[in-house]
Amino acid sequence: MPELVSQYPRPPKLEFSDESIRVIALGEVLIETSRSIRILETFHPPTYYFPPEVVNHDLLKPSTGRSTFCEWKGVASYFDIHHDNRRLERSIWCYPSPSARFAELAGWFALYPGRMDGCWVNDESVTPQAGGFYGGWITSRVQGPFKGDPNHPELI
């Protein structure tokens, strides 16, 4: 049964997931796991967060530049993904000290699917959420309209 993102809550909720996730970045496996947390927020496709032990840290370097602030989760730290002199700047982030409501996310990583070679949920290829700021994962499981979609400027 499809999930309507218009019915997701605000403030967002965390949902633990055992879906099979695979992420390839710069030709390398960045993440392969069946352990994640989905963040569900009104008009956003889910954003997936991954425990640090399932992320290939050999591909990560701390990013330069400023941190960002989420009204719900707090201050995010960003990382570049690098391999063979190629770099995906500020493509993955975490909340080292999130707000109490989102404490389970401490140190877990999220990413921009549109910057990766590919992301899959249960072997289904993910469509990235539109807009450079959003990290949502669109699959057949979720239905929009989605925030960031230029066909729905009322949600931008």
Side-chain angles (χ1 to χ4, degrees):
M1 174 177 235
E3 297 176 9
L4 301 175
V5 298
S6 61
Q7 295 177 355
Y8 284 171
R10 187 165 172 86
K13 80 171 190 172
L14 290 91
E15 178 182 275
F16 288 88
S17 174
D18 62 0
E19 295 168 294
S20 175
I21 306 287
R22 183 173 170 86
V23 177
I24 304 295
L26 301 176
E28 298 292 314
V29 175
L30 177 65
I31 296 167
E32 193 159 21
T33 188
S34 59
R35 187 170 161 230
S36 62
I37 296 175
R38 297 187 332 142
I39 300 293
L40 309 178
E41 181 177 359
T42 309
F43 289 110
H44 289 269
T47 299
Y48 284 79
Y49 282 77
F50 306 99
E53 63 271 14
V54 305
V55 176
N56 183 347
H57 289 267
D58 292 339
L59 300 176
L60 302 185
K61 288 197 188 238
S63 293
T64 58
R66 62 181 179 88
S67 299
T68 60
F69 178 77
C70 171
E71 67 181 308
W72 310 114
K73 297 180 275 307
V75 177
S77 295
Y78 287 81
F79 298 83
D80 298 343
I81 300 170
H82 69 95
H83 180 68
D84 286 343
N85 296 319
R86 294 178 294 156
R87 182 178 298 264
L88 301 172
E89 294 183 1
R90 298 175 65 84
S91 295
I92 188 167
W93 69 91
C94 72
Y95 291 92
S97 300
S99 66
R101 182 180 183 136
F102 292 91
E104 291 94 342
L105 292 180
W108 286 46
F109 290 88
L111 55 87
Y112 294 108
R115 297 184 188 174
M116 305 299 123
D117 296 345
C119 300
W120 294 265
V121 176
N122 295 328
D123 294 323
E124 178 184 350
S125 183
V126 168
T127 300
Q129 183 177 7
F133 182 73
Y134 302 114
W137 297 46
I138 301 172
T139 63
S140 60
R141 177 179 178 177
V142 295
Q143 290 185 351
F146 305 109
K147 190 169 185 176
D149 182 345
N151 294 319
H152 293 278
E154 73 278 12
L155 300 178
I156 293 177

